[in-house]
Amino acid sequence: MNIDIKNKIKKLRQELPNEVTLVAVSKFHPISSLQAAYDAGQIDFGESRAQELESKFPQMPKDVRWHFIGHLQTNKVKSIIPYVYLIHSVDSLKLLKVINSEASKAQLKVNVLLELHVAKEETKYGLTLDECLEILKHKEDFSNVNINGVMGMATNTDDEVEIKNEFKLIHAAYSEIKEKIFPQDESFSIISMGMSGDYQLAVDEGSTMVRIGTSIFGPREY
Ligand SMILES: *Cc1c(COP(=O)(O)O)cnc(C)c1O
């Protein structure tokens, strides 16, 4: 099992272009599985629940970079910001405000991505491009966050044309935000898109960060 995880990490690393960051999505998987991935050189891990991140953090080496990728409730922000390397899932102005104020109290600067909603599913969280642009008009108010890019998810479908088009929309939104808001700012550089089922399509469409769980760790047991 653990040998399998190591081989999958190595295979993915070989397959992905060098400039694409692999986030190993370890939610619902035990520390032994994370450790196997770490032993294969993996340092970026993605979690989607605050409590799980808090409990895994002390059990893993200190150089692990913890990515928060799930919907984040405002009352959980305070508990994760000391540990988190990048929050992918900023899906409202309210959440951004809370992250900024908790980061300020903790004297931290927190890295975040704005989550875009492009998928057809009603249930997926996220902002429209216009909402992002509106929020970013006031970016000076958020001095304790670094806005490093965008994140998005495609519809869960077999229709590759649909998935590709959604990834194109995410990339286009990133480019428009970059041009209008961060033309000189190198730190706005991340396009987080692509999961086990669709990462090849995402990479083709310009993803710089893929979030892969099942293809590394196997199915999750909820
Ligand atoms: C769980 C999750 C993933 C990983 O999904 P897999 O299909 O297991 O690769 C990626 N991104 C987000 C936001 C997730 O919640």
Side-chain angles (χ1 to χ4, degrees):
M1 179 65 199
N2 285 351
I3 298 209
D4 204 34
I5 290 172
K6 284 184 195 172
N7 288 336
K8 283 179 171 154
I9 292 280
K10 286 181 189 153
K11 225 179 118 249
L12 274 168
R13 244 335 342 141
Q14 278 165 6
E15 183 188 337
L16 293 167
N18 276 335
E19 62 278 11
V20 173
T21 303
L22 170 61
V23 177
V25 176
S26 49
K27 62 189 185 197
F28 294 92
H29 290 286
I31 288 292
S32 57
S33 296
L34 280 73
Q35 188 65 50
Y38 181 86
D39 292 342
Q42 183 63 29
I43 60 166
D44 291 279
F45 289 87
E47 291 285 338
S48 61
R49 297 182 302 169
Q51 273 191 332
E52 192 173 342
L53 172 58
E54 270 187 281
S55 94
K56 283 176 171 172
F57 171 82
Q59 302 182 64
M60 287 294 289
K62 285 293 155 283
D63 61 342
V64 164
R65 303 196 298 205
W66 295 99
H67 296 247
F68 194 88
I69 62 170
H71 177 62
L72 180 56
Q73 289 169 302
T74 51
N75 63 354
K76 298 283 166 61
V77 169
K78 186 179 175 180
S79 70
I80 69 157
I81 55 169
Y83 315 120
V84 81
Y85 171 75
L86 178 64
I87 299 174
H88 290 228
S89 42
V90 172
D91 55 9
S92 69
L93 176 59
K94 181 178 162 214
L95 177 59
L96 188 63
K97 283 181 176 165
V98 172
I99 294 171
N100 187 65
S101 70
E102 291 297 341
S104 166
K105 282 186 223 162
Q107 294 183 294
L108 291 168
K109 202 137 182 187
V110 175
N111 301 322
V112 305
L113 305 178
L114 299 177
E115 180 173 353
L116 288 159
H117 178 99
V118 295
K120 294 272 187 286
E121 289 109 330
E122 289 289 322
T123 53
K124 288 198 173 148
Y125 293 100
L127 301 157
T128 64
L129 171 60
D130 285 342
E131 287 168 335
C132 290
L133 292 169
E134 186 59 37
I135 287 173
L136 290 167
K137 279 188 194 155
H138 312 282
K139 75 177 192 313
E140 277 71 32
D141 298 348
F142 307 113
S143 53
N144 286 77
V145 298
N146 296 317
I147 299 170
N148 289 335
V150 300
M151 182 271 239
M153 269 184 275
T155 305
N156 187 5
T157 170
D158 292 332
D159 182 351
E160 292 202 355
V161 175
E162 174 68 33
I163 295 170
K164 249 184 172 329
N165 283 337
E166 290 173 0
F167 288 148
K168 280 185 206 296
L169 281 176
I170 295 167
H171 193 156
Y174 165 83
S175 299
E176 189 167 336
I177 295 169
K178 175 92 184 162
E179 196 181 291
K180 287 191 171 148
I181 316 276
F182 299 104
Q184 315 289 0
D185 190 342
E186 304 267 307
S187 67
F188 189 83
S189 60
I190 298 174
I191 305 175
S192 167
M193 60 185 188
M195 314 180 13
S196 292
D198 58 19
Y199 70 88
Q200 285 109 338
L201 296 173
V203 169
D204 290 346
E205 296 307 328
S207 171
T208 71
M209 190 173 270
V210 292
R211 309 175 309 271
I212 300 182
T214 310
S215 292
I216 298 171
F217 298 110
R220 288 177 284 274
E221 284 177 33
Y222 296 103

